[in-house]
Amino acid sequence: MNEEKYKTKVNQLKCELFGSLAVYKKSWQVQKRYPLAMFFYALSPLLWLLPHLIFSSALVGGRYSENLYSLIGYGDVLIYTSLGLVFMAIFSSSMWGTAYSFRDEEFAGTLENLYITPISRYSIILGKTLFYLSQALIGCIIQLIVIGIWYREDFSWTNFLLSSVFLLVGFLLIQGTSLTLIAFVFWQKEGWKIILLGESLILFITPVTFPIVVLPTLLQNIAKFNPLNYAIEGFRNAFLFGNTGSVQMYFLILILILPFATAVGITIFHFAEKWLRKKALIGQY
Amino acid sequence: MVSQTIELRRTKAAMLNEKLLYRANKRSFKNSLRVILAYAWKNLQNDLRYLGSWIYWMVVPLLWLIPYAFQGKALLGDSDSSFFLKYGGTGDYFSYVALGFILFNIVDSAIWGAGNRLRWEQKSGTFEYIWITPISRVELLLGSSFSELVWIAFVCTTQFLILNFALSWTFTIIQILLALVVIIVTIAGLFSFSFIFASIILIFKEPGTLSELTDISLNIFLPVRYPLRILPPFLRWIGYTIPFAYGFFSIRAFTLAREYNLGFVWLAIQLVLSTIMWIVGLKIFKRIEHRTRKIGQIGAY
C-alpha cells in the first residue's frame, strides 16, 4: 500500500516536472520568434557592464586602487566591480523576469489557459524561472569569459567552481523574493515602479561596486540584514581568494537564510493568490 | 426627380467637405502652432492624471546616483579624482556624474517618451483617429515632443535645484541660467531624435528591445559618467557625432569647469548638429511614414 502511494507521488512529481519543462520550452519558442531580442539579451549584459567599468577606471586613472586594496586586500577595480555587477545582473534579470512572468501571460491573453492546466502554480513558476535563468546565464557566461580573460594570470578553476556554488545559492535565494513579487504584481498589476524603488534603495546597502565598510555606520548595520550582501561577498571572495574562513561563514549564513526566505515567499504567494482568486481579480487586466 | 435631389445634395456635401478640408489644411504658422499645442495639451492632460509619476521620476534617478558616491569613497577615499580633473575639467567626480544624470533624463525622454508616443496611441486604440485628422504628421510629432519638453524641463530643473541644495554647489545666477539654456537647447535636440525614433516605431511596432539597446549604447558613447577623452579613439568619435554629447560638455564647462568660452563653442556645435539632425530626422520620418502607408502597415499592431 505504501509502495503504491510512493509510486503515485513519484508519478505526480514527474508530471509536474514535465509541466515545468513544457512552460520552459514554450517560453523559449516565443523568444525565438524575436531574434533581435535574443541578440540583445546576449549582448546587453556586456554593454551594461561597460559604462560602470569605464567609470571605475576613470576614477583611479587605471586598473589599480590602493584605497580598495587597503580596505579589502585586493586592488584590481575592474575585476572587483565586474564580479559584483555580474552577480547583480543575474539576480536582477531573473527576479524581474519571474516577477512579471504571469503579467506577461495576461498581456498575451494566455493566463487563463495556463492557469487552468492541471499542474501546480509552482510548476508554472518554476518553468518560467528556469527560462529567465537560462536567458540570464547566457549573458553571465559572456561576462565571465571576459573577466576570465582579464584575470587569466590568477584564474583558478577551483575558485570559479566555488563561486558558482554561491551563484546557485543566490539564485535559490532569489526565488523567495520572486514569489513575493509575483504576488505583488498579481495584486497591483503594474507595480514596477514600487519594485524599482525598492531595488534602488537596496543597492545602497549591497556591495555591488563598493565594500560595505565605506558606508556610514547606520547603513552598515542595516546591511547586516540584507542577504544579498552575503551572497555577493561570498561569490566575489570565493572567486578571488578561494575557500577562506569568511567564504565559509557567508555560505553558512546563506544556507540558514535560504529555507526561511523561501518559506516566506511561498506563504505570501499562497495567501495572495488565494485572496485574489476569492475576489475574482486574477484575470483582471 | 428624387435621384436628382439626392445627387445635388451629394455634390453640395462633397463641396462642403472639400471646403472644410481646404480650410483645415490651409497651412499657416498660427494653425500649425494651434495643432501642436492642442496635441501637446492632450498628452499633458494624460500625464497630469498621474502626478505621482512626476514626483517619482524626479526623485528615483537621484537615488541611482548615491552608489557612485560610495564607489568613489571605496576606490579613491577622497571626493576628488586627479584623472577626472585632467580629462574632465573638474576633479569633483560626483558633481560630474550628477550633471550627467540630469541631462541623460532628456535622452531617456527622447527614446521612451516622444519616440514611443505613437506606439502608446496604438495601444490606447487612438492611433487611427489621430492619424486621419486633417493635419500634418510632423505637427503631431512636434506636439508629442512639446509635451515631453514640459515634463522633462520640470524633472531636470527640479533635480538640478535639489542637487544644487544637497551638494552645496556654489553656482552664480548666470551659471544657473546658462545651465538652463543648455537644458533647453538639448531638449530642442530631443525633437529631432524623437523623429528618427518614431520612424523606427512605424517599422518595428514593438520597439522595447531597440529602445533598451539604444539606451545602453548611448550610456557608453555619451559622457554621462566619464569624460569621452578616456575612451578608445573609435568609440570616442562615435560620441562626438551625437549632438547630445555637446550638451554634456557645455553644461559642465559653464558650471563645474567655469570655462565660459569653451561652453559657448560646445553649445554652438550642438545647435548646428541638432539642426542637421532635425532636417535628416524629418526627411526620414516623411519617407518611412509614406512607405508604411503604401504597404498598408500603418495601423498594424
Side-chain angles (χ1 to χ4, degrees), chain A residues 139-160:
Chain A
C140 178
I141 289 166
I142 295 172
Q143 286 172 331
L144 285 175
I145 289 172
V146 174
I147 296 170
I149 293 168
W150 280 335
Y151 194 64
R152 58 187 175 277
E153 285 151 21
D154 301 308
F155 184 80
S156 146
W157 279 104
T158 322
N159 292 1
F160 174 72

Side-chain angles (χ1 to χ4, degrees), chain A residues 152-226:
Chain A
R152 58 187 175 277
E153 285 151 21
D154 301 308
F155 184 80
S156 146
W157 279 104
T158 322
N159 292 1
F160 174 72
L161 289 175
L162 192 63
S163 60
S164 304
V165 173
F166 276 92
L167 263 186
L168 183 72
V169 177
F171 166 70
L172 292 174
L173 198 71
I174 298 164
Q175 297 321 304
T177 320
S178 299
L179 281 169
T180 312
L181 291 179
I182 291 175
F184 179 74
V185 174
F186 239 169
W187 168 48
Q188 278 293 306
K189 306 294 173 195
E190 282 294 317
W192 65 270
K193 279 183 186 163
I194 301 288
I195 302 175
L196 186 65
L197 180 67
E199 197 185 30
S200 308
L201 290 172
I202 283 176
L203 279 178
F204 292 2
I205 50 165
T206 308
V208 182
T209 51
F210 51 84
I212 289 296
V213 284
V214 296
L215 293 178
T217 321
L218 177 71
L219 286 181
Q220 279 190 43
N221 289 331
I222 298 172
K224 283 178 190 159
F225 298 97
N226 176 15

Side-chain angles (χ1 to χ4, degrees), chain B residues 5 12 44-45 49 75-76 88 90 124 130 146 184-185 196 221-222 230 243 259:
Chain B
T5 318
K12 268 187 183 175
L44 271 176
Q45 275 180 318
R49 294 286 297 161
L75 301 187
L76 284 172
T90 174
S124 315
I130 286 172
F146 195 75
I184 289 165
V185 172
I196 297 172
F221 299 127
L222 288 177
I230 65 162
E259 291 177 12

